[in-house]
Amino acid sequence: MAAHARMFGRFFDRQNSVTYLKKLCLNRNNQRLCSGATHKKNKLELGNSTLSAPNFNASLKTRPKEKRRPDNSLLPFSAILTDGFGRRHSYLRISLTEKCNLRCQYCMPEEGVKLTSRAQLLSTLEVLTLARLFVQEGVEKIRLTGGEPLIRPDVLDIISELRKLEGLKTIAVTTNGMNLARLLPKLKDAGLDLINISLDSLVPAKFEFIVRRKGFHKVMEGIDRAIEMGYNPVKVNCVVMRGLNEDELLDFVALTEKKPLEVRFIEYMPFDGNKWNFKKMVSYQEMLDHIRQQWPNLEKLQTGHSDTAKTFKVHGFKGQFGFITSMSDHFCGSCNRLRITADGSLKVCLFGNSEVSLRDVLRSGASDEELLQIIGGAVGKKKKQHAGMFSISQMKNRPMILIGG
């Protein structure tokens, strides 16, 4: 305990951290630019923000040298990533881009969103620097999100470099699947472990209505290719909205009969610009009751302490299905997740509107120790749980695409 206290005092000076946090809180009114989401434009926008793979290690060496940090394996868990309620944050989600080649109704407005200028987005080196620090403190899983992460030109280089981080056990990606079939062999070679694919309808015309773009068959091709290449399970994320796709619940469960899929039904959540309405939300219990009418003897599967999904299986089916119950039955007490947005802001809660710009700290020339103080200060202020769904719907927050979904 004494060693733990000393470590806490050294790396987690709350008073100094909070003062620094106030100075660095994200200015939500920063000038933004509108832009399209084509692959070609992404290359132009991201061009100078990325570094080719051979330069990563050389660039990392230019950061100020630090004293060798004590071995965190001697501690129960890093004090930096442990909040005031004892939750240990070993899972980091990093958004690689704000851009997307779809316009999903629950994620962003039809006209798109104002995008952050290229210069204000995290560079490749900055992404890797932050990832290294979080892994050093105990993060074991990193998920790459967006926007659509697979339209970032250097995504393969980023995964390859993340794979070299000692202590990082899992690299995952959440994708809309549009480019997945084409990139999957290279993604696997780079070291990608897990894949989540968004798919909100099995009816092509309805798919196009929800995402406001064509591409259903590309997504299905990506799912099948992932199965062929040995990913098991391939997770399929489906946001369920009343009057739109709740009539497809049984069809999605039926997909798991012959394919090693884990379909995850996600309760419709409120974010800026998605016109959330309580009447559109289909609760976990309502979905489960409907599925049980078709398959009464469902098996509930055991899950890990920090898993977000309540998972079930139909006897004899290859795959399984689950529910993300953020609205009707939150799982804040076991939350182990942190998020970094594409413009470098740390969000300790998906539904919270407080942020701190790690990008600004990095670019100020701060040392690793100073960065860790800022991170520790933000994690330490994480609330016990998020507000109720009606409060969240009235609260100012980013659109989902600018958070990293």
Side-chain angles (χ1 to χ4, degrees):
M1 287 294 292
H4 194 182
R6 287 194 299 272
M7 190 72 164
F8 191 88
R10 181 179 174 189
F11 294 123
F12 195 37
D13 182 348
R14 277 185 186 274
Q15 187 172 4
N16 291 339
S17 298
V18 170
T19 301
Y20 203 4
L21 278 168
K22 289 179 180 177
K23 294 179 181 178
L24 292 163
C25 280
L26 182 68
N27 180 0
R28 295 296 304 279
N29 297 318
N30 281 348
Q31 183 70 31
R32 291 173 179 260
L33 302 174
C34 283
S35 181
T38 63
H39 186 65
K40 182 177 180 181
K41 286 184 179 179
N42 269 279
K43 286 187 175 180
L44 292 173
E45 291 273 331
L46 290 165
N48 294 333
S49 298
T50 60
L51 293 171
S52 58
N55 293 329
F56 289 158
N57 292 332
S59 299
L60 286 169
K61 290 177 182 176
T62 64
R63 286 186 56 75
K65 290 188 176 181
E66 311 270 340
K67 292 181 180 179
R68 183 174 179 83
R69 292 174 53 77
D71 185 358
N72 275 338
S73 65
L74 301 177
L75 297 174
F77 190 79
S78 166
I80 300 292
L81 300 185
T82 302
D83 68 18
F85 301 96
R87 292 172 296 198
R88 302 171 176 180
H89 297 80
S90 59
Y91 180 5
L92 177 66
R93 300 171 66 101
I94 303 175
S95 176
L96 295 184
T97 178
E98 296 176 345
K99 296 182 178 180
C100 188
N101 42 11
L102 299 181
R103 291 288 184 273
C104 299
Q105 294 186 26
Y106 52 83
C107 188
M108 65 188 299
E110 184 175 5
E111 66 275 13
V113 294
K114 290 183 178 181
L115 299 175
T116 305
S117 65
R118 175 183 53 78
Q120 298 304 310
L121 297 174
L122 290 179
S123 69
T124 308
L125 177 59
E126 288 168 336
V127 168
L128 294 172
T129 297
L130 291 174
R132 173 181 58 81
L133 281 177
F134 276 90
V135 171
Q136 171 185 300
E137 292 302 313
V139 162
E140 296 179 338
K141 179 178 180 179
I142 290 179
R143 179 175 295 279
L144 303 176
T145 68
E148 171 48 43
L150 298 189
I151 64 175
R152 179 157 169 157
D154 61 343
V155 63
L156 295 172
D157 293 332
I158 289 174
I159 293 173
S160 296
E161 292 301 313
L162 290 177
R163 188 77 282 167
K164 298 174 184 177
L165 294 178
E166 186 177 353
L168 182 61
K169 296 179 180 178
T170 305
I171 302 173
V173 69
T174 295
T175 173
N176 61 31
M178 295 288 284
N179 297 333
L180 184 60
R182 175 175 57 85
L183 290 175
L184 199 48
K186 292 181 179 178
L187 288 167
K188 188 165 187 178
D189 288 344
L192 182 65
D193 299 304
L194 297 176
I195 302 173
N196 287 37
I197 303 167
S198 298
L199 177 65
D200 302 304
S201 178
L202 298 173
V203 180
K206 193 187 293 186
F207 170 91
E208 292 178 17
F209 177 75
I210 294 173
V211 307
R212 304 184 178 112
R213 297 288 187 275
K214 296 182 181 294
F216 172 78
H217 297 292
K218 286 185 178 181
V219 179
M220 295 305 294
E221 181 186 0
I223 291 172
D224 290 337
R225 190 70 189 279
I227 293 172
E228 290 171 8
M229 295 191 65
Y231 286 95
N232 186 358
V234 175
K235 294 185 178 181
V236 175
N237 294 341
C238 175
V239 176
V240 181
M241 294 165 282
R242 194 181 306 281
L244 200 55
N245 62 349
E246 87 278 16
D247 59 333
E248 296 187 59
L249 288 171
L250 301 184
D251 295 330
F252 271 100
V253 174
L255 270 185
T256 69
E257 180 176 5
K258 299 186 184 300
K259 296 182 178 183
L261 299 175
E262 181 178 329
V263 176
R264 289 137 52 93
F265 298 115
I266 302 173
E267 292 178 340
Y268 184 34
M269 308 177 209
F271 292 98
D272 277 15
N274 74 353
K275 300 178 182 178
W276 184 85
N277 185 312
F278 173 70
K279 294 180 180 179
K280 291 183 181 179
M281 195 199 82
V282 185
S283 72
Y284 146 66
Q285 194 60 56
E286 182 180 344
M287 288 189 273
L288 181 59
D289 290 345
H290 181 57
I291 293 169
R292 274 192 167 136
Q293 291 178 16
Q294 177 71 22
W295 294 285
N297 300 316
L298 294 175
E299 176 188 358
K300 186 170 185 180
L301 305 180
Q302 287 190 335
T303 55
H305 171 69
S306 57
D307 288 347
T308 56
K310 296 173 173 64
T311 310
F312 297 81
K313 186 180 182 71
V314 178
H315 181 70
F317 281 22
K318 280 188 176 180
Q320 57 203 41
F321 66 95
F323 304 91
I324 308 294
T325 63
S326 303
M327 295 293 96
S328 67
D329 186 14
H330 71 74
F331 33 82
C332 301
S334 60
C335 181
N336 68 339
R337 291 158 176 76
L338 300 170
R339 287 173 165 81
I340 297 176
T341 62
D343 60 357
S345 287
L346 176 65
K347 287 181 70 76
V348 297
C349 176
L350 173 62
F351 299 107
N353 55 11
S354 60
E355 305 176 352
V356 59
S357 178
L358 300 182
R359 175 202 66 204
D360 291 350
V361 184
L362 268 173
R363 295 182 183 180
S364 73
S367 67
D368 287 359
E369 299 292 337
E370 292 167 327
L371 267 166
L372 289 171
Q373 281 192 357
I374 301 306
I375 293 167
V379 173
K381 293 173 68 178
K382 184 170 180 173
K383 295 180 180 179
K384 184 177 182 179
Q385 64 187 59
H386 65 66
M389 67 180 85
F390 296 105
S391 298
I392 293 172
S393 67
Q394 301 299 317
M395 185 174 65
K396 187 68 177 173
N397 196 0
R398 296 182 183 222
M400 188 63 185
I401 193 168
L402 299 185
I403 296 175

